[in-house]
Amino acid sequence: MAHKNVIELLAPAGGPEPFNAALAAGADAIYCGLGNSFNARRSAKNFDDASFGDACRRAHLAGTRVYVTVNVAVATDEIPRVLGLVRRAWLLGADAFIIQDWGLFAQVRRTWPQIETHVSTQANVHDARGVAWCRSLGADRVTLSRELSLPEIERIAKEGVELECFGHGALCFCYSGVCMMSSLSGGRSANRGLCAQPCRLPYELVDEKGELVPVPDVPTAGLAETMRGVGGTRALCPKDYCTVDHVGEMISAGVGSLKVEGRMKAPDYVYQVVSAYRRAIDAAIAGEPLSEAEDAAVHRQLKRAFNRDFTDAYLRGESGNEMMSYERSNNRGEVVGEVESSRALEDSVERRGGGNGGRTRMRRFKRAEVRIRLTEPVGEGDLLEVRPVSDPTQFLTVTAERDSAAGEVICCRAPRPMETGAIVRVIRSQAAMDAAARVSKADVQRKRPVCARVVARLGRPFKVEVACADGEASASAEGFICEAARTRAVTGEDLVEHVGRMGGGPFEPVSFDVQVDDGLGMGFSAVHKVRAAAVKALEEALLAPYAAREEGLAPAPSERAVAYRLGEARAEAGIADPAAVRREEPCACALVADPACARAALEAGAARVYATVDDLARDEWPDGVVPWLDEVCREGDHARLDPWVAEGAPVAVGNVSELALAAERGAAPEVRSCIPVHNESCLVALEAAGASGFWLSPELTLEQVCALAPAASVPVGLMVLGRERAMTSEHCVLQVTGKCVHDCARCPQRARRFSLKDIDGKLLPVRTDVNGRSRIWSAYPLDATPQAGELIGAGVTRLLADCTLLTAKETTFYVERVARAIAAARAGRKPAARLQGATSGHLFTGIG
């Protein structure tokens, strides 16, 4: 858990070089991945055992903690391997583990209660009730969703659980942990660490007729010009988060750890951003605000690291267009000026070859001189982007040839002339790259402050004590017997100088307490030897707790041991043996959006009908419709969601907060697929928490579904027909039209049937609810009804048709199709072939 400082500065590291940069920049803790199989940034370089162990050693000597990310959904057969990784990382020096999967979390807590566990933001926790539930499971820290405001964080902090909050970096468009966009569009799952970032791609908003909805041009940040012709092409791309101006408020709200995003970022990014936040945090803790010049330097430093422009909207409780980077998804850098003039130069000729009698080749190329008037300073070697206002797609890059101050005009060589008024940005700082390269290659990235005490008494051993300034550890060493001087007597200043020579080691003395008798003499080489022994002893004292970890540490359980412990967990929680449970009869189920569709579903043979609480709150519904609670449950959602949770009544829950409430009230909660269950350990953990049913994840293969279903002692369901929800966002997608009326209940756009058209021409339906949240559905409907026989045979008894987007007539068709498939499977017949244009989802092609 965070210690020493009021708030922890948590930095990313996608490999050894960024790790070194984070350490040098002043990170209190660093999070990283061990190996490339079980963390949310599997495409990063990450660490092997040797480099991870070395990184932990250097971090611990510097006073920095190391967290290992195992923040992905884990399959049943992978659990023993992940537990082996956890044990190995713990012995190598990991201080804590960041976990998404509730099954893995339960296994780690059960096997090694001494290991510190943090709940990942991928677990989608965003209210006090959810955090309290995590505390009951033994979580030491909860990483909250990025979308929360300061007042929400302050309320949650009262639960007494350490909170980690997002502070800086790239924002996901969707709530973390419930995004299927990448896996549905290409099989690369965010829940498995392989997100392809489809939210950064261009999309067009189209209406019911398939016609393009015009969107307004987007003003360029901080400038009067408009980026004409590109307004709204990046409809799902947020700006990057930046809370550097709110550090003091976050401390006051109770944030325990401020996280910088960026395990895919280069060392110069990590060094720039982390060192900027180090300055801001230190100033806030000291109660001494940065001066105007210091504050400007911090902001400049952040702007010259990769960014899509910055927003703090969520922290302020906002989610409007001000947080979106509609016109571009790449690096904006910092605006530093504009083109004053430009002229073409004469064609140049480059001669190649011709040696040893060979032929000489000539290549002609054009050149131009671009004159740029600076509004901000630039450095030699900085990469500048020059982007014309009239056609931003025709940008180019040039290099600054010298250090130049604001107000100067510089000349840069370019491939072609550029229009006057073109916007110029720094998109790569050469100074930052050089600084990161220096610290990454240094033997010691950051020296730890120590206090030194020297005792030299006549006739007694010479003694040196060194203690960490933060009080974590101390050590001492004794050496030669102090004798009277035969020539020159040693002074206190002499001892400060020679004991203070700690050279290239991990410590730096910041204070001295020297107690020396008058008239003593000694050789300084002997002093150096005692000092070196004391320093070595301090290193050993700091690392000793890690070296002692193996003693008594339980082995990583085998597959057989995991199965045995699941049996123990079932017995302790009073969960019935799944093999002895009498399964309910298979039935068709439907999720609908209005009473007419509910009636149509019931008439078509649906035994269970579900609807969201927002839909249930309006109009008259047939009896028995089961509330389908949201995947988002923030403090402000309780008033509309909680009343639908009643003792003894079924309710589909989309969040652990809702599961906790349902268990408390004695309801019968069915866990929706947005709480991903990918392994038997997760089934048992959630059943123990009160789950009375499961809707399995659409990211599972048919083989995985058929293995999980019989492991549950409660009914298991699967969506087999309809479009799968791909995203849920706090930002309303329809705001890209520029027609937001700031009153969702009366918004005319919400009544329309819009879709997003991707670069391949596929249409993804999008709807915004009465709370202003948008949901995006997959481009193609799923049809798993041909597999009804295998599903029912494995114990899947609830087969769902998602009719959210359908009319009553279409609902009838969908439900009847599911009902017929069930009937055919029970009669031993083969169900009808898959619908034309539908997909089998991931049933036969698993996620990455």
Side-chain angles (χ1 to χ4, degrees), residues 13 137 162 165 233 257 267 279 306 355 359 456 520 534 575 649 711 813 816:
L137 299 183
E162 186 171 73
C165 293
T233 60
S257 178
R279 293 174 67 183
F306 183 101
R359 295 178 61 185
L520 294 182
I575 299 172
F813 174 78
E816 287 181 346

Side-chain angles (χ1 to χ4, degrees), residues 467-806:
C468 296
D470 57 28
E472 184 172 342
S474 62
S476 63
E478 295 182 347
F480 57 90
I481 302 299
C482 296
E483 300 177 348
R486 297 175 184 174
T487 53
R488 176 180 174 273
V490 71
T491 66
E493 290 77 11
D494 292 332
L495 294 178
V496 167
E497 178 186 351
H498 287 275
V499 172
R501 290 181 182 176
M502 297 188 182
F507 306 121
E508 179 180 25
V510 293
S511 69
F512 287 90
D513 175 13
V514 179
Q515 301 174 22
V516 56
D517 287 345
D518 293 336
L520 294 182
M522 60 189 70
F524 291 128
S525 61
V527 171
H528 298 164
K529 185 178 294 186
V530 177
R531 178 210 65 217
V535 167
K536 183 178 180 182
L538 181 58
E539 290 186 23
E540 292 172 349
L542 287 167
L543 299 175
Y546 300 95
R549 281 179 168 180
E550 190 163 14
E551 185 177 350
L553 185 68
S558 64
E559 184 175 346
R560 184 174 179 180
V562 169
Y564 178 78
R565 291 183 180 186
L566 287 176
E568 289 183 326
R570 284 190 175 98
E572 292 170 6
I575 299 172
D577 179 0
V581 172
R582 179 179 176 84
R583 303 286 171 175
E584 66 179 15
E585 293 297 315
C587 63
C589 306
L591 174 61
V592 300
D594 61 59
C597 288
R599 287 187 286 271
L602 290 169
E603 292 168 4
R608 300 175 74 86
V609 175
Y610 300 82
T612 69
V613 299
D614 290 331
D615 291 330
L616 288 173
R618 55 186 175 83
D619 302 323
E620 292 293 327
W621 286 75
D623 292 338
V625 176
V626 179
W628 187 269
L629 301 191
D630 294 4
E631 54 274 20
V632 177
C633 183
R634 292 166 62 170
E635 299 295 331
D637 295 308
H638 289 189
R640 66 183 183 85
L641 296 179
D642 292 3
W644 296 93
V645 180
E647 182 179 0
V651 59
V653 298
N655 185 277
V656 295
S657 171
E658 297 159 356
L659 175 61
L661 177 65
E664 178 188 323
R665 292 186 176 177
E670 303 171 21
V671 172
R672 287 181 52 199
S673 63
C674 46
I675 304 177
V677 176
H678 285 239
N679 57 75
E680 186 177 349
S681 298
C682 191
L683 280 175
V684 174
L686 295 180
E687 278 197 58
S692 64
F694 291 97
W695 292 97
L696 295 182
S697 169
E699 294 191 326
L700 296 173
T701 64
L702 180 61
E703 181 181 2
Q704 290 171 323
V705 170
C706 291
L708 280 175
S713 69
V714 296
V716 173
L718 185 72
M719 198 265 270
V720 296
L721 189 62
R723 292 182 189 263
E724 296 164 304
R725 182 197 56 80
M727 277 188 172
T728 301
S729 66
E730 191 64 24
H731 173 78
C732 171
V733 175
L734 306 185
Q735 290 187 73
V736 73
T737 63
K739 296 179 179 179
C740 181
V741 297
H742 305 288
D743 185 348
C744 296
R746 294 178 172 81
C747 176
Q749 305 301 318
R750 286 185 51 247
R752 301 184 61 183
R753 301 174 70 84
F754 290 113
S755 295
L756 289 171
K757 185 176 182 180
D758 70 10
I759 55 176
D760 297 319
K762 294 181 291 188
L763 298 179
L764 293 80
V766 57
R767 304 287 186 271
T768 295
D769 66 22
V770 71
N771 310 294
R773 292 185 185 127
S774 286
R775 287 172 179 82
I776 301 170
W777 280 265
S778 58
Y780 301 112
L782 167 75
D783 183 7
T785 57
Q787 280 66 54
E790 294 100 312
L791 295 171
I792 293 171
V796 177
T797 57
R798 296 175 181 175
L799 280 65
L800 179 74
D802 190 330
C803 307
T804 304
L805 304 175
L806 305 184

Side-chain angles (χ1 to χ4, degrees), residues 342-553:
S342 181
R343 66 186 182 92
L345 303 176
E346 293 182 3
D347 289 359
S348 296
V349 177
E350 181 184 74
R351 299 178 184 273
R352 292 185 178 182
N356 298 321
R359 295 178 61 185
T360 299
R361 290 179 297 164
M362 300 176 61
R363 183 171 70 95
R364 291 186 176 274
F365 61 96
K366 293 183 177 295
R367 292 187 304 160
E369 179 185 83
V370 178
R371 291 172 56 83
I372 300 169
R373 180 168 295 279
L374 298 175
T375 55
E376 299 287 344
V378 298
E380 180 182 355
D382 286 354
L383 186 65
L384 309 180
E385 177 198 86
V386 184
R387 190 175 286 259
V389 174
S390 61
D391 185 358
T393 64
Q394 298 302 307
F395 69 93
L396 53 77
T397 57
V398 298
T399 302
E401 297 178 0
R402 59 181 175 84
D403 294 347
S404 304
E408 291 188 37
V409 175
I410 62 172
C411 294
C412 297
R413 301 290 180 174
R416 63 181 186 274
M418 293 297 285
E419 67 181 40
T420 299
I423 308 302
V424 180
R425 301 170 181 268
V426 170
I427 58 172
R428 189 187 69 201
S429 167
Q430 187 61 46
M433 295 183 67
D434 293 343
R438 284 195 301 270
V439 300
S440 293
K441 295 175 182 176
D443 292 332
V444 176
Q445 280 70 43
R446 187 170 88 228
K447 291 179 179 290
R448 190 169 192 165
V450 295
C451 303
R453 183 170 179 263
V454 183
V455 181
R457 300 296 188 193
L458 182 64
R460 301 184 65 177
F462 180 78
K463 184 178 182 179
V464 174
E465 297 178 2
V466 283
C468 296
D470 57 28
E472 184 172 342
S474 62
S476 63
E478 295 182 347
F480 57 90
I481 302 299
C482 296
E483 300 177 348
R486 297 175 184 174
T487 53
R488 176 180 174 273
V490 71
T491 66
E493 290 77 11
D494 292 332
L495 294 178
V496 167
E497 178 186 351
H498 287 275
V499 172
R501 290 181 182 176
M502 297 188 182
F507 306 121
E508 179 180 25
V510 293
S511 69
F512 287 90
D513 175 13
V514 179
Q515 301 174 22
V516 56
D517 287 345
D518 293 336
L520 294 182
M522 60 189 70
F524 291 128
S525 61
V527 171
H528 298 164
K529 185 178 294 186
V530 177
R531 178 210 65 217
V535 167
K536 183 178 180 182
L538 181 58
E539 290 186 23
E540 292 172 349
L542 287 167
L543 299 175
Y546 300 95
R549 281 179 168 180
E550 190 163 14
E551 185 177 350
L553 185 68

Side-chain angles (χ1 to χ4, degrees), residues 237-301:
C237 180
K239 296 176 182 175
D240 289 356
Y241 213 39
C242 179
T243 65
V244 74
D245 294 328
H246 302 283
V247 168
E249 298 166 86
M250 295 178 79
I251 292 173
S252 298
V255 174
S257 178
L258 186 149
K259 173 186 175 181
V260 174
E261 179 274 339
R263 280 198 293 137
M264 297 295 290
K265 298 293 200 307
D268 59 291
Y269 174 91
V270 173
Y271 186 73
Q272 285 275 87
V273 173
V274 174
S275 58
Y277 274 85
R278 179 77 275 158
R279 293 174 67 183
I281 288 174
D282 288 348
I285 292 173
E288 299 175 357
L290 296 173
S291 68
E292 186 176 339
E294 290 171 332
D295 186 62
V298 163
H299 283 81
R300 177 176 296 130
Q301 192 168 320

Side-chain angles (χ1 to χ4, degrees), residues 35-96:
N36 292 85
S37 297
F38 302 112
N39 70 86
R41 295 294 184 272
R42 287 165 59 191
S43 298
K45 182 178 180 181
N46 293 314
F47 289 81
D48 58 21
D49 285 15
S51 60
F52 180 73
D54 177 65
C56 287
R57 181 183 185 279
R58 288 182 289 105
H60 295 150
L61 290 177
T64 294
R65 288 158 59 80
V66 181
Y67 306 148
V68 172
T69 54
V70 278
N71 51 345
V72 292
V74 182
T76 297
D77 62 351
E78 294 173 332
I79 287 285
R81 288 167 53 202
V82 185
L83 292 174
L85 180 148
V86 168
R87 188 181 191 274
R88 203 168 73 245
W90 181 251
L91 292 177
L92 287 169
D95 292 285

